[in-house]
Amino acid sequence: MKNYILLCLIIVSAFSSKSYSQKNKVASADKKYDNYAYIDAIKTYERVAEKGYKSEDMFRKLANSFYFNSQFDKAAKWYGELFAMNPEQEPEYYYRYAQSLKSTGDTAKANQMLDLFNQKSKNDNRAKLYQENKNYLDVIKANSGRYNIEDAGINSKYSDYGTTFYQNKLVFTSARDTGNFSQRKHKWTGEHFTNLYQSDLDENFNPNAPKKFKSKINSKFHEATPVFTKDGKTVYFTRNNYLNGKKGKNESKITLVKIYKATFEKNEWGNITEVPFDSDSYTTAHPALSPDEKTLYFASDMPGTIGQSDIYKVSIDANGTFGTPVNLGAPVNTEGKETFPYVNDENEIYFSSDGHPGLGGLDVFAGKIADDGTISNIQNVGADVNSSKDDFAYIIDTKSRKGFFTSNKDGGRGSDDIYKFLETKRLYCVQELYGVVTDLATGEILPDTKLTLYDSGYKMITTTTSDQNGNYKFPVECGMSYAVRAERDKYTTKEVTVTILKENGRTNLPIALEKAECVVTVGDDLAKCFGIKMIYFDLDKSDIRIEAAIDLEKILDVLNQYPSMKLDIRSHTDSRASHKYNEALSDRRAKSTIQWLIKNGIAPNRLAGKGYGETQLVNKCSD
């Protein structure tokens, strides 16, 4: 039996002055075969392009395939060919070309592409990435009105600040001194040295009458801002440079503050030690733990600090050892002061700053922490909490939306006062991006598909995998634009952009993937693999045109890749001449196509062809 793969290339006429529309009518194959052929279309496109054939669609597919696979040098090559062929492309291609050029070191040309991208995509968030002149007062106003605030009921006429939750208690810092004898005062403030105090919390987070935190943690110098592990067995806290009766000083003879660690053993706090990144020459203060307790955040002016003080983080290993502190950098830290970090279980970081646009003094700000630890979307929490004075030490219970913060705003009892709040509206709108991944052709669900979420600047945020039902989901921010990239073996990588709604809820983004490999059986239409609908000939001629040669090159490549494959070529005409003439013309065109393939190395016994004239019209016109 002869094995023929049907190449249903509809061969019709093309006119210089007037063209006739043709509809593709694929003849049914009358032979069935028992083997499959797998064709990687992308590889074929590349081989065809390397021979000098040019097609915008082909260049886009080539460049995108390499770009999505992070082969940016090859992507730059084919994006370059694309723009050389037509410099007017959709805005997205300017951005991708620029990113690819950067990877090759051609920053000058990359900047040119970015300039063009900015011009052509004025509503794209990436084009606004470095926009600076926002009216921050309008932002603060929009974020205001979200809190019910009241005095916490535990304040004194002295400084009270820096709260933390600990076993249904509120532990805080206070300069009140309940001692009966020696009442030590700090020369800089005129107040007593601070110690830790505690109050029991009722079911509504109301603290009762405070009492001193009975522990060796309190000393004759300052203690402040503790944070406890969930099991209640470890605490990190701030204290003057004082341990085991010895006071440390820097080169200017000033005693700074450090972070200390203590453990709870035999019903008491002890084993007080410095953390290893402390120093006599700089401050470390105000520790905060991540929800998984694997990261410690803190404020410091250690070497490498951008401003007066920056927020850092350091990893905590399972054995209790610490990594190397890392400056959070922009967009958190500025040339001003960033301090009093707090991280909740919703991947939000709160901190105080006088470097970000605010109302005056320290304002409380919030940011979103991504899975990779990067922080974005820094926002002022609003004028309810913030004032023209110092506002800081914000903590919140995410389930009840109740919390505490400290301020020296007007109307308080002491120099710093603790306020209780109920957050009535979230700062960040909560949205979930979800969808199902399917096969474009069959609608079959595609489990185990890798999905990657990118922000509007195409910086990777996180990845996930579709479940057994093809479903995926990402937590996202309201009103923001994202790109989702879906990758699966034997499927073409697809990237889809989406803008999230500006209200709480869910945004649906189904993704249908197209197979990257063409699967054809004996008797199938090979042309479908490459989207070849027609090969045109000039009126009354049978010569192979340049446009047709590009498509034939694709078929030639496939035949070279699969030496056992055989081809049946069928040619048709319209009905504007005699039946005999049309039959002869179509036969010449079929033979011309066969001769082109033979000339390019295909054995004649692998090719068959016939002209059908007007007997099988593809335009359904017999007049």
Side-chain angles (χ1 to χ4, degrees):
M1 178 185 292
K2 294 182 179 180
N3 294 326
Y4 289 96
I5 296 292
L6 173 63
L7 170 60
C8 193
L9 300 177
I10 308 302
I11 305 176
V12 297
S13 299
F15 303 91
S16 59
S17 60
K18 183 177 181 181
S19 63
Y20 289 82
S21 64
Q22 304 290 330
K23 292 184 178 180
N24 183 21
K25 183 177 181 181
V26 180
S28 298
D30 57 358
K31 296 181 180 180
K32 302 295 181 181
Y33 297 82
D34 57 4
N35 66 309
Y36 288 82
Y38 297 89
I39 301 118
D40 189 330
I42 295 298
K43 291 181 180 178
T44 293
Y45 287 135
E46 186 177 18
R47 287 188 289 264
V48 171
E50 292 286 4
K51 288 189 176 183
Y53 291 95
K54 297 182 177 181
S55 161
E56 285 188 55
D57 181 66
M58 182 168 61
F59 289 152
R60 288 191 195 99
K61 290 178 178 177
L62 274 171
N64 287 339
S65 67
F66 290 122
Y67 182 84
F68 291 146
N69 287 287
S70 300
Q71 298 182 49
F72 298 115
D73 54 340
K74 292 182 179 179
K77 172 184 176 181
W78 296 115
Y79 283 132
E81 293 288 347
L82 174 65
F83 277 90
M85 190 171 184
N86 182 2
E88 292 297 323
Q89 299 292 333
E90 293 179 3
E92 185 61 33
Y93 288 94
Y94 292 86
Y95 184 82
R96 292 179 186 171
Y97 189 22
Q99 295 297 91
S100 301
L101 287 167
K102 286 181 181 179
S103 71
T104 67
D106 193 351
T107 55
K109 191 169 184 179
N111 289 337
Q112 293 176 11
M113 289 294 110
L114 284 176
D115 288 339
L116 291 171
F117 173 71
N118 291 340
Q119 293 174 20
K120 294 176 178 292
S121 57
K122 298 186 183 300
N123 293 323
D124 193 297
N125 286 326
R126 286 170 291 175
K128 302 175 182 178
L129 194 60
Y130 299 107
Q131 181 182 354
E132 296 180 347
N133 298 320
K134 291 182 177 179
N135 189 338
Y136 68 91
L137 290 176
D138 287 344
V139 175
I140 294 173
K141 182 178 180 181
N143 291 340
S144 301
R146 302 184 301 107
Y147 292 94
N148 296 330
I149 295 174
E150 58 183 299
D151 186 289
I154 54 175
N155 293 307
S156 68
K157 63 180 181 180
Y158 301 104
S159 179
D160 302 291
Y161 69 96
T163 51
T164 191
F165 298 119
Y166 168 59
Q167 295 184 342
N168 298 319
K169 296 179 176 63
L170 188 72
V171 179
F172 63 97
T173 307
S174 180
R176 72 188 76 185
D177 192 296
T178 58
N180 296 323
F181 301 103
S182 176
Q183 295 185 345
R184 296 172 52 82
K185 292 187 177 182
H186 189 245
K187 293 180 180 179
W188 291 2
T189 64
E191 294 190 352
H192 305 299
F193 282 90
T194 60
N195 283 150
L196 301 183
Y197 286 74
Q198 68 182 39
S199 293
D200 292 329
L201 293 173
D202 66 18
E203 65 276 8
N204 293 316
F205 284 75
N206 296 311
N208 67 4
K211 56 185 178 181
K212 204 166 188 177
F213 193 77
K214 297 295 184 181
S215 167
K216 294 179 182 179
I217 291 174
N218 282 329
S219 71
K220 61 182 181 180
F221 294 104
H222 286 300
E223 281 79 35
T225 55
V227 60
F228 297 85
T229 55
K230 294 184 180 71
D231 62 10
K233 294 181 179 180
T234 303
V235 63
Y236 301 91
F237 62 97
T238 307
R239 178 196 275 181
N240 278 120
N241 187 350
Y242 178 77
L243 185 63
N244 298 325
K246 296 180 180 180
K247 184 170 66 172
K249 297 181 179 180
N250 66 7
E251 294 180 353
S252 301
K253 306 299 181 182
I254 297 174
T255 299
L256 303 176
V257 294
K258 294 182 176 181
I259 294 174
Y260 292 85
K261 175 184 177 181
T263 56
F264 193 73
E265 298 176 358
K266 297 180 180 180
N267 207 34
E268 64 178 0
W269 289 100
N271 191 27
I272 299 174
T273 57
E274 295 182 33
V275 293
F277 48 87
D278 281 342
S279 172
D280 291 346
S281 60
Y282 57 78
T283 64
T284 55
H286 314 315
L289 282 168
S290 62
D292 61 9
E293 300 183 351
K294 294 180 180 180
T295 304
L296 186 74
Y297 293 82
F298 63 96
S300 180
D301 60 355
M302 65 174 56
T305 299
I306 298 171
Q308 298 176 44
S309 68
D310 286 357
I311 296 175
Y312 288 78
K313 67 178 180 179
V314 62
S315 62
I316 306 174
D317 297 331
N319 59 5
T321 59
F322 294 87
T324 302
V326 176
N327 190 307
L328 294 189
V332 171
N333 293 319
T334 69
E335 289 75 18
K337 181 190 296 181
E338 280 71 45
T339 185
F340 291 99
Y342 172 77
V343 179
N344 67 19
D345 57 6
E346 294 182 343
N347 293 321
E348 295 172 347
I349 182 171
Y350 291 85
F351 63 96
S352 290
S353 170
D354 63 6
H356 290 269
L359 297 175
L362 292 172
D363 273 19
V364 177
F365 292 83
K368 296 289 290 184
I369 305 176
D371 289 347
D372 63 358
T374 58
I375 298 173
S376 63
N377 200 2
I378 305 298
Q379 292 197 43
N380 188 300
V381 301
D384 312 293
V385 169
N386 291 322
S387 67
S388 61
K389 302 295 180 66
D390 283 337
D391 312 288
F392 57 98
Y394 180 106
I395 65 171
I396 185 171
D397 173 71
T398 55
K399 294 180 177 61
S400 66
R401 310 311 296 177
K402 293 179 179 180
F404 299 87
F405 73 96
T406 304
S407 178
N408 64 351
K409 65 176 69 177
D410 295 336
R413 293 189 61 189
S415 54
D416 293 309
D417 291 290
I418 297 170
Y419 293 86
K420 176 188 173 183
F421 68 77
L422 169 66
E423 186 185 44
T424 58
K425 179 182 177 182
R426 291 174 181 261
L427 174 64
Y428 295 106
C429 177
V430 178
Q431 264 276 350
E432 181 180 77
L433 178 62
Y434 74 102
V436 61
V437 186
T438 58
D439 184 294
L440 178 63
T442 66
E444 176 187 358
I445 62 171
L446 297 178
D448 301 319
T449 301
K450 179 183 177 182
L451 297 115
T452 306
L453 181 70
Y454 295 85
D455 65 14
S456 59
Y458 273 75
K459 183 176 182 179
M460 190 187 78
I461 300 174
T462 186
T463 61
T464 190
T465 303
S466 60
D467 64 18
Q468 61 182 0
N469 296 316
N471 295 312
Y472 74 92
K473 61 182 179 180
F474 291 111
V476 291
E477 295 178 18
C478 302
M480 301 296 288
S481 295
Y482 295 90
V484 178
R485 184 177 299 169
E487 300 170 87
R488 184 179 171 85
D489 188 36
K490 296 184 179 180
Y491 282 83
T492 301
T493 297
K494 187 172 184 178
E495 190 174 281
V496 185
T497 58
V498 61
T499 298
I500 306 301
L501 299 175
K502 294 183 178 180
E503 57 188 31
N504 290 327
R506 306 177 76 209
T507 299
N508 186 23
L509 182 66
I511 299 176
L513 295 182
E514 186 176 7
K515 285 193 174 180
E517 293 180 334
C518 300
V519 181
V520 292
T521 62
V522 175
D524 284 347
D525 184 357
L526 182 60
K528 287 183 178 179
C529 283
F530 303 100
I532 303 171
K533 296 181 179 179
M534 302 178 183
I535 288 182
Y536 288 99
F537 284 81
D538 290 326
L539 179 63
D540 203 31
K541 293 184 179 180
S542 59
D543 299 327
I544 300 296
R545 300 173 67 189
I546 295 176
E547 299 92 324
I550 294 177
D551 285 329
L552 288 176
E553 271 287 351
K554 302 172 188 176
I555 305 305
L556 175 64
D557 182 80
V558 173
L559 291 171
N560 287 331
Q561 296 301 308
Y562 299 89
S564 64
M565 184 183 291
K566 295 184 179 182
L567 210 60
D568 181 17
I569 299 169
R570 301 178 180 185
S571 174
H572 305 266
T573 67
D574 55 31
S575 58
R576 287 174 297 162
S578 69
H579 173 78
K580 184 176 181 180
Y581 177 85
N582 286 334
E583 186 174 17
L585 176 62
S586 65
D587 195 58
R588 289 198 304 272
R589 289 174 174 174
K591 289 179 179 178
S592 178
T593 303
I594 292 172
Q595 288 303 313
W596 188 96
L597 292 170
I598 293 174
K599 181 180 177 181
N600 283 275
I602 302 302
N605 63 356
R606 297 177 62 193
L607 305 170
K610 180 180 178 180
Y612 290 85
E614 61 186 76
T615 61
Q616 297 180 5
L617 292 175
V618 297
N619 65 351
K620 299 181 181 179
C621 179
S622 59
D623 295 332

